């Protein structure tokens, strides 16, 4: 099947489902039933095709695979190409996007009663945009998808969200749009430097040191908000609280990963000197995110807000791992993003189950659910333990590899983010104890029903993959290893070349306009030279 345009099929087949839903006719009940059936069928087919990508993927090369390249738009001498391809870095994000879309449709089967057709259309359009982000190899195409994910999520929060949905939807949209505008300016600058909007051309280009700083900061503004990093994280709790459960699943499972994906796809390999220069800042922000938001999570009384703040803490691990730029740390960051996508999605679904029954997320409203909801208590326990990094779960693999890689670069940073393990156990065990154990004192809680068949079908694949990733992580590490090692080697090679160049460049050979930024960047690279040498000496 490798001769098929698989990436185009996986990306745009959801829009075919959208067309069929829009053509459905009949009364509201018939239209809603058809919309659910078409959305589920389409998302299942797309997920099956994404599995084919995994089966056909060659893990022994860092090159982009399943490449599709054709002229798309030509205006004078300016050409935008329809260039698609995936490597080991993007493969599992495509799989995660297609899996979570299936589960969102299935979860929403009986939980959404108004404007069902529009709701299902929004999720299928969202799937196209998410998959497109991870497959695009042209900057303009990437930007279209990168911005496109905002529109359906804005509608999902604003139309089907909670009482403050309008405020939360606009806050989410404006925050993320502001950062994206700056990244568009950086894309334009990259075009004038390389003469092309092709991402593969930019990845092979050597950008001047003084320009790397500004381009890195422009992309950082976009990716940091998407992660989100402290202190630009305040939009996330509001968006999660007001979004419907399925919206929170996509928001935490996929949209937060766009920032981490942007760092490893663009910031690190394209601007290695600037990445080294800003590594201390990234370490500091990551440590603050892990520690500060963990304490904030401890103070929450709303289950969704607690899990939202825990997401910020977990993504702090990711950014620390990425900017350690060791093979172990970056692979750990990749696994952590995948694990968080699964575990956070499951935790929001866990909250959604009891919210659908009592329509409240107040922690104090529940107690003793182990008595009448044992299956629910079991699923909640497994995902809670995965969130705190219990060995045998996906959370342990990612966090262990990150700390192993970060320790080789900065023991202080490793110690700071390691406190997140303890703090994470505190707030997750606090949440679990308050909801699952104790004595049932309320009549409505006593009459809550356990998981039904549809809900078990939603949780089963998430639970299976979390345990699979924890018990046999190499099945996920092997396909991404070549691509990750290529990025790490590319970054280290550029930094070492800069160090060698500094030994032969005198100050009067550097243009005065560039001397300040160039010198400061190389000073930082030089300060990190022992760590770079240690990293490259061990398979980096």
């Amino acid at each position: 099947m490798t001769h098929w345009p698989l990436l185009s099929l996986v990306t745009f087949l959801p829009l075919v489902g959208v067309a069929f839903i829009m053509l459905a006719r009949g009364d509201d009940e018939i239209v809603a039933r058809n919309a659910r059936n078409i959305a589920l069928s389409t998302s299942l087919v797309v997920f099956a095709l994404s599995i084919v990508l995994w089966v056909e993927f060659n893990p022994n090369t860092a090159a982009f695979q399943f490449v599709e390249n054709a002229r798309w738009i030509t205006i004078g001498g300016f050409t935008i190409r329809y260039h698609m391809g995936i490597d080991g870095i993007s493969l599992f994000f495509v799989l995660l996007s297609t899996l979570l879309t299936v589960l969102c449709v299935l979860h929403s089967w009986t939980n959404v009663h108004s404007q069902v057709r529009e709701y299902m259309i929004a999720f299928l359009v969202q799937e196209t945009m998410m998959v497109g982000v991870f497959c695009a190899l042209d900057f303009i195409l990437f930007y279209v998808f990168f911005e496109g994910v905002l529109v359906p999520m804005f509608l999902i929060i604003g139309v089907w969200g909670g009482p403050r949905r309008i405020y939360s939807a606009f806050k989410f949209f404006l925050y993320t749009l502001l950062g994206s505008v700056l990244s568009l300016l950086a894309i334009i600058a990259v075009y004038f430097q390389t003469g092309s909007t092709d991402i593969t051309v930019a990845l092979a280009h050597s950008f001047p040191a003084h320009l790397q700083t500004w381009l890195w900061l422009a992309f950082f503004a976009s990716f940091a908000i998407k992660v989100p990093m402290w202190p630009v994280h305040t939009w996330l709790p509001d968006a999660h609280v007001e979004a419907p459960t399925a919206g929170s699943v996509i928001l935490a499972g996929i949209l937060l990963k766009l920032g981490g994906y942007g760092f490893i796809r663009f910031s690190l390999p394209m601007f290695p000197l600037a990445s080294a220069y800003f590594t201390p800042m990234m370490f500091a922000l990551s440590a603050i995110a892990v520690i500060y938001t963990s304490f904030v999570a401890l103070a929450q009384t709303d289950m969704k807000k607690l899990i939202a703040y825990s997401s910020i803490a977990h993504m702090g691990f990711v950014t620390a791992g990425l900017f350690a730029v060791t093979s172990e740390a970056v692979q750990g960051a990749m696994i952590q993003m995948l694990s968080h996508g699964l575990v956070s999605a499951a935790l929001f679904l866990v909250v959604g189950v009891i919210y659908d029954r009592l329509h409240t997320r107040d922690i104090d409203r529940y107690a003793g659910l182990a008595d009448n909801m044992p299956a629910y208590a079991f699923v909640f326990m497994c995902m809670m333990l995965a969130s705190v990094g219990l060995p045998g779960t996906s959370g342990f693999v990612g966090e262990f590899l990150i700390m192993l890689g970060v320790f080789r670069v900065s023991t202080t940073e490793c110690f700071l983010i390691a406190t997140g393990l303890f703090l994470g156990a505190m707030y997750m065990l606090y949440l679990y104890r308050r909801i699952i154990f104790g004595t049932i004192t309320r009549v409505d809680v006593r009459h809550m029903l356990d998981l039904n068949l549809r809900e078990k079908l939603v949780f089963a694949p998430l639970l299976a993959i979390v345990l699979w990733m924890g018990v046999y992580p190499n099945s996920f590490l092997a396909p991404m290893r070549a691509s990750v090692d290529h990025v790490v080697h590319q970054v280290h090679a550029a930094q070492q070349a800069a160090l060698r160049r500094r030994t032969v460049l005198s100050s009067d050979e550097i243009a005065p306009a560039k001397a300040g930024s160039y010198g400061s960047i190389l000073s930082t690279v030089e300060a990190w030279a022992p760590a770079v040498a240690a990293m490259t000496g061990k398979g980096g």
Side-chain angles (χ1 to χ4, degrees), residues 151-430:
V151 177
M153 184 53 65
F154 173 79
L155 295 174
I156 289 167
I157 297 172
V159 176
W160 293 278
R164 299 177 71 243
R165 59 186 180 273
I166 303 300
Y167 165 80
S168 298
F170 274 95
K171 187 175 183 180
F172 155 76
F173 191 85
L174 292 175
Y175 259 77
T176 51
L177 181 64
L178 174 62
S180 298
V181 169
L182 294 176
S183 68
L184 178 60
L185 296 177
I187 288 172
I188 294 172
V190 168
Y191 168 75
F192 281 109
Q193 274 288 312
T194 64
S196 172
T197 59
D198 195 299
I199 291 173
T200 59
V201 172
L203 290 174
H205 186 80
S206 180
F207 290 89
H210 71 284
L211 184 60
Q212 286 193 28
T213 304
W214 299 107
L215 294 178
W216 191 96
L217 287 171
F219 277 114
F220 170 78
S222 179
F223 301 148
I225 292 173
K226 282 285 198 302
V227 168
M229 298 184 69
W230 182 90
V232 289
H233 66 285
T234 57
W235 63 269
L236 183 65
D238 289 326
H240 271 309
V241 167
E242 299 304 323
T245 299
S248 292
V249 168
I250 294 297
L251 188 59
I254 304 299
L255 266 59
L256 300 193
K257 309 305 174 290
L258 298 183
Y261 176 77
F263 281 133
I264 191 173
R265 173 65 76 217
F266 303 115
S267 301
L268 287 170
M270 288 171 53
F271 318 121
L273 301 183
S275 295
Y277 180 69
F278 289 109
T279 291
M281 180 191 77
M282 294 299 294
F283 276 0
L285 294 179
S286 299
I288 293 172
V290 170
I291 298 171
Y292 169 74
T293 56
S294 293
F295 279 112
V296 175
L298 271 170
Q300 300 306 311
T301 59
D302 185 298
M303 287 181 280
K304 258 194 171 185
K305 257 194 176 176
L306 189 152
I307 298 170
Y309 279 108
S310 78
S311 294
I312 301 169
H314 281 92
M315 293 305 292
F317 269 90
V318 170
T319 50
L322 289 176
F323 280 86
V325 201
T326 66
S327 184
E328 300 94 340
V330 177
Q331 289 184 61
M334 289 289 298
I335 291 292
Q336 179 73 350
M337 283 193 280
L338 296 175
S339 172
H340 178 262
L342 297 166
V343 174
S344 65
L347 288 173
F348 280 115
L349 289 168
V350 162
V351 174
V353 166
I354 54 178
Y355 180 80
D356 291 337
R357 286 154 172 76
L358 287 193
H359 300 289
T360 177
R361 295 184 299 269
D362 190 350
I363 296 174
D364 293 331
R365 189 67 174 77
Y366 300 91
L369 292 185
D371 293 341
N372 57 333
M373 301 180 69
Y376 174 83
F378 173 76
V379 171
F380 195 171
M381 178 189 70
C382 293
M383 294 305 173
M384 177 270 297
L385 294 175
S387 178
V388 303
L390 183 76
T393 65
S394 58
F396 172 77
V397 178
E399 290 173 351
F400 175 77
L401 288 174
I402 288 172
M403 289 193 295
L404 180 66
V406 172
F407 184 83
R408 297 171 59 192
V409 177
S410 172
T411 54
T412 301
E413 177 69 9
C414 184
F415 170 78
L416 290 174
I417 64 172
T419 60
L421 303 180
F422 175 73
L423 294 172
M426 286 177 62
Y427 59 71
M428 290 308 300
L429 289 171
Y430 162 81

Side-chain angles (χ1 to χ4, degrees), residues 470-494:
V471 173
Y472 186 47
N474 197 54
S475 55
F476 295 86
L477 289 168
M480 69 177 66
R481 185 171 291 122
S483 297
V484 167
D485 286 348
H486 176 71
V487 171
V488 171
H489 176 75
Q490 190 176 358
V491 173
H492 293 164

Side-chain angles (χ1 to χ4, degrees), residues 7 10-11 94 97-98 126-136:
L7 293 185
V10 173
T11 304
V94 173
S97 301
T98 58
Q126 183 79 62
E127 182 175 24
T128 287
M129 298 301 170
M130 293 187 302
V131 174
V133 167
F134 300 120
C135 295

